[in-house]
Every structure is written in C-alpha cells, then in structure tokens.
Amino acid sequence: MSDNGCGFPAPGLNSFLFKPLFTVGGFEFNKVMLLALVTTLLVITFFSAAFGKAKVVPGKLQMIGEAGYDFVRRGIVYETLGKREGEKWVPLMVSLFFFVWIMNIWSVIPLAQFPVSSVIAFPMVLAAIVYITWVALTFKKHGFVGFFKNVTGYDKSLGAVLPLVMVIEFFSNLLVRPFTHAVRLFANMFAGHLMLVMFTVASWYLLNSWLVVGAGVSFVMTMAMILFELFVQAVQAYVFVLLACSYIQGALAEHH
C-alpha cells in the first residue's frame, strides 16, 4: 500500500533517484552516470566507425553517418551561421546534437528507461560549454568594449530608454541565458519521463485490480506517450543546438 492509502504507488522524485552502482573513494557512480558514459562512447564509436575509413562510395554505416552529419550541418548550422562562418562550428554542433539526442532517447530503451537529460547537472554542463564558448568568442571578436556592447544591446538610437534596455539585456544574456538553455532541455525530459512512469505504473496497477478496462486505456496512453516522447526527444536536441548556433551567431554579429 502507498502512503495515500489507495495502493497506487504514485511516481515522484523517487523516480529520478538511483542507488550507486559502486563507490570509489567517496565518489558514487550510479545508473545515470553509466548511461551518460555509454552515450559518450556510442557517439565516438559510431562516428569513428562511419568516417574512420571514409570511401567515395559510402557503405551503409557511412551513409547513415553522413545523413546525420549533413542534417545538423545544413539544417541547423548553415541556416543560422551561414556556410562560411558555420563550417568551423559543425563538429561541435553535431557532437552536441547526437549527445543530447541519445541522452534523451534512453527514456524509451528497455532496461535503461531513463532520460539522462532529466538530471539537471547534465544539461547544465552542456549549456556551460556553449556559454563559455559564446563569451570567449565574443571577447575575441569584439574586445572588451565590443563585448559590453554586444551583451547589453547597446544602441544609441534607443535614447532615454537605453540604460534600462542595457540592464535588462545584461542580466538576460549573462545570467538568464545559460539557465534557460539548460532548464528548457531538463524540464521537457523531466516532465516526459514522469508522465511515462505514471501511465506505465497505472497500467500495471489497474491490470491487477477490477479496472482491467482502465488498464487497457492506460496502456494505449503509454504507447502514445512513447511515440510523443520520441518526437520531443529529437526536437529538444534540435532546439538545444539551434540555440547554441544562435548564440554563436550573436557573438559574431557586428554591433555599432
């Protein structure tokens, strides 16, 4: 029986907590870390195998790799940064896209069944990488004065409202931006996983009660949620990289 007395084990934050698989010197290594490590190895292994010995007439693996690489390059990077400026950023953005996507997709993989991105630490680290890259690039491109103008949206034509706009833009770009970049990914994966757990547990609970018909409805909803999550997982990877490209584009933009 659950604490609410109805017997239904309502999912909550306990769904995001895992006991350590092992501990080394006080450092606890759990399931989420294992999935993140496997994700890293999968991305590296796949692209190494696909392009390690690239051929003029590509094999199946190389074709899949080229399709994924070209999707990010042309569909996100070139569309945001242009071909000339964007080409140098393609490897980073491809890595980010597939890393985020695979972290998300673990949610619907049997045995794993958990999106790594629903643990805020992982989106925060990825957002920090993008943020540090953006800050460093802006300094390199524009210098200190140019950086200040870039992050504050300095524009003399704004007149009397310029100081207010500069304060808002300053806090928005330097403080809010990395936070929202991480939280957008985290919140979607957190909510999606919670919904999947709720319908899955409900299906099992109802199947073992007199509400067998309800179990069927809940199971159908679970399948629908899985399909919807597959879509959301890809979209969130796309949005994360699209925002990263837009930040890079902003760092390269000229401000007068």
Side-chain angles (χ1 to χ4, degrees):
M1 292 288 286
S2 64
D3 293 338
N4 57 17
C6 72
F8 177 68
L13 292 178
N14 59 300
S15 303
F16 298 85
L17 300 176
F18 297 92
K19 294 180 180 179
L21 298 174
F22 59 85
T23 302
V24 178
F27 175 78
E28 296 181 347
F29 188 87
N30 61 24
K31 176 181 177 179
V32 184
M33 297 176 184
L34 175 62
L35 291 176
L37 179 60
V38 173
T39 300
T40 304
L41 294 176
L42 281 175
V43 173
I44 294 173
T45 301
F46 173 76
F47 282 103
S48 296
F51 299 116
K53 295 180 179 179
K55 300 177 181 177
V56 177
V57 180
K60 292 181 180 179
L61 190 63
Q62 186 179 332
M63 286 180 65
I64 295 172
E66 287 179 354
Y69 190 89
D70 209 46
F71 168 75
V72 177
R73 180 175 61 179
R74 296 183 183 276
I76 305 178
V77 181
Y78 284 4
E79 288 292 324
T80 308
L81 297 170
K83 184 175 181 178
R84 185 173 65 86
E85 289 289 352
E87 190 62 44
K88 68 183 72 173
W89 299 102
V90 172
L92 173 62
M93 298 306 167
V94 169
S95 300
L96 282 175
F97 178 87
F98 284 98
F99 188 71
V100 171
W101 183 47
I102 295 175
M103 283 203 306
N104 293 348
I105 213 169
W106 285 120
S107 174
V108 296
I109 301 298
L111 299 181
Q113 297 173 305
F114 188 83
V116 178
S117 304
S118 65
V119 176
I120 187 64
F122 294 94
M124 282 180 64
V125 169
L126 296 179
I129 292 172
V130 175
Y131 178 76
I132 292 170
T133 301
W134 166 69
V135 170
L137 182 62
T138 307
F139 263 115
K140 181 180 178 180
K141 178 75 176 180
H142 304 286
F144 180 79
V145 175
F147 173 83
F148 181 77
K149 290 181 177 180
N150 188 291
V151 300
T152 59
Y154 178 80
D155 186 348
K156 292 187 293 184
S157 65
L158 293 174
V161 299
L162 178 59
L164 177 61
V165 170
M166 291 177 68
V167 171
I168 293 173
E169 286 292 313
F170 180 84
F171 282 99
S172 175
N173 287 323
L174 288 182
L175 299 179
V176 178
R177 173 179 288 185
F179 175 78
T180 56
H181 196 195
V183 169
R184 182 180 286 103
L185 173 60
F186 156 74
N188 278 278
M189 292 301 99
F190 182 93
H193 181 64
L194 202 58
M195 291 293 289
L196 273 178
V197 172
M198 183 181 72
F199 282 113
T200 303
V201 173
S203 298
W204 178 255
Y205 173 75
L206 292 171
L207 187 63
N208 289 277
S209 71
W210 59 274
L211 292 171
V212 178
V213 176
V217 174
S218 184
F219 179 76
V220 170
M221 287 299 299
T222 302
M223 294 298 102
M225 280 298 302
I226 288 174
L227 293 175
F228 180 68
E229 275 300 292
L230 285 170
F231 171 73
V232 171
Q233 289 157 6
V235 168
Q236 287 305 311
Y238 179 88
V239 170
F240 191 90
V241 174
L242 181 65
L243 288 172
C245 286
S246 71
Y247 299 156
I248 298 299
Q249 191 277 333
L252 297 172
E254 295 293 338
H255 289 262
H256 302 284

